[in-house]
């Protein structure tokens, strides 16, 4: 596995990977209309571009070194809250799931969080998304839950999860 920092030229690739992974991850959870709304808002060129301008926000492409194919991406923000990094996005295309990429990417994130002085990683996961099981298998715990207004008349019913970095 190879991780490559994203630049503005990679935004179309991020958009494509997001669309491919969302169609699989959220097919049973979200309506097509909500999925399209969220993809157009969260993955617009302007939105991703603004993240890339923030020195605490990082995107990396996940690449399979054997096939040279892009398997997904991660987006996270150091110092989201005091001592806390927020994992905003980690998505793998359907055909790359179960190959260990997710686990390796979370290990990479743990090391980046430690290097940057944060002690905790937080994330939101939809209550109906099987990804919760993956995060729990990697040591994340649910610490709260909530219903979040994402605009356009849509909401997300999420668990809030955390992982504590042990130094």
């Amino acid at each position: 596995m190879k991780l490559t920092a994203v630049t503005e030229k990679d935004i179309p690739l991020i958009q494509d990977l997001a669309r491919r992974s969302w169609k699989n991850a959220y097919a049973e959870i979200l309506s097509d209309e909500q999925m399209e709304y969220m993809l157009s808002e969260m993955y617009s060129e302007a939105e991703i571009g603004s993240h890339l301008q923030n020195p605490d926000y990082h995107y990396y492409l996940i690449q399979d070194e054997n096939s040279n194919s892009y398997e997904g991406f991660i987006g996270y923000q150091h110092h989201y809250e005091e001592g806390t990094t927020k994992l905003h996005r980690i998505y793998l295309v359907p055909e790359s799931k179960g190959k260990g990429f997710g686990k390796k990417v979370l290990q990479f994130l743990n090391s980046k969080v430690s290097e940057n002085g944060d002690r905790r990683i937080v994330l939101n996961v939809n209550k109906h998304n099987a990804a919760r099981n993956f995060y729990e298998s990697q040591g994340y715990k649910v610490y709260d839950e909530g219903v979040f207004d994402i605009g356009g008349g849509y909401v997300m019913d999420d668990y809030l999860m955390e992982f504590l970095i042990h130094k």
Side-chain angles (χ1 to χ4, degrees):
M1 180 186 80
K2 177 179 164 187
L3 292 164
T4 308
V6 169
T7 65
E8 288 195 5
K9 72 173 180 49
D10 298 315
I11 291 174
L13 178 55
I14 292 288
Q15 291 169 323
D16 177 61
L17 291 167
R19 184 166 295 283
R20 288 171 54 204
S21 64
W22 276 48
K23 294 289 184 191
N24 180 263
Y26 296 113
E28 304 291 321
I29 301 170
L30 304 177
S31 68
D32 289 342
E33 294 80 14
Q34 182 171 351
M35 199 178 317
E36 284 304 317
Y37 172 81
M38 292 177 71
L39 284 167
S40 68
E41 291 291 315
M42 295 171 61
Y43 291 94
S44 70
E45 188 171 337
E47 182 71 10
I48 297 171
S50 73
H51 297 163
L52 294 175
Q53 299 304 311
N54 179 340
D56 288 329
Y57 207 122
H58 304 276
Y59 278 91
Y60 285 87
L61 289 166
I62 304 164
Q63 194 171 13
D64 183 340
E65 289 183 291
N66 297 325
S67 65
N68 222 20
S69 61
Y70 290 102
E71 305 300 321
F73 64 94
I74 182 174
Y76 59 92
Q77 182 180 1
H78 292 302
H79 317 304
Y80 178 76
E81 297 170 346
E82 187 176 339
T84 301
T85 292
K86 172 114 186 214
L87 174 55
H88 288 283
R89 303 170 162 138
I90 180 171
Y91 289 104
L92 296 170
V93 295
E95 56 272 18
S96 67
K97 290 189 177 175
K99 296 182 179 178
F101 292 114
K103 187 176 185 176
K104 288 178 184 171
V105 170
L106 287 183
Q107 290 167 350
F108 166 82
L109 176 62
N110 292 350
S111 68
K112 290 294 188 184
V113 170
S114 285
E115 289 170 16
N116 280 276
D118 284 342
R119 300 173 314 279
R120 178 177 176 241
I121 302 168
V122 296
L123 62 88
N124 292 23
V125 64
N126 185 284
K127 286 184 179 179
H128 306 288
N129 191 328
R132 174 186 174 189
N133 297 330
F134 166 70
Y135 291 121
E136 288 177 333
S137 77
Q138 300 307 304
Y140 285 73
K141 306 253 185 277
V142 172
Y143 70 92
D144 204 353
E145 55 187 84
V147 177
F148 300 92
D149 183 346
I150 55 169
Y154 299 111
V155 297
M156 289 294 277
D157 193 10
D158 290 353
Y159 289 116
L160 292 99
M161 301 187 79
E162 70 180 347
F163 179 81
L164 301 176
I165 301 292
H166 301 287
K167 294 188 177 190

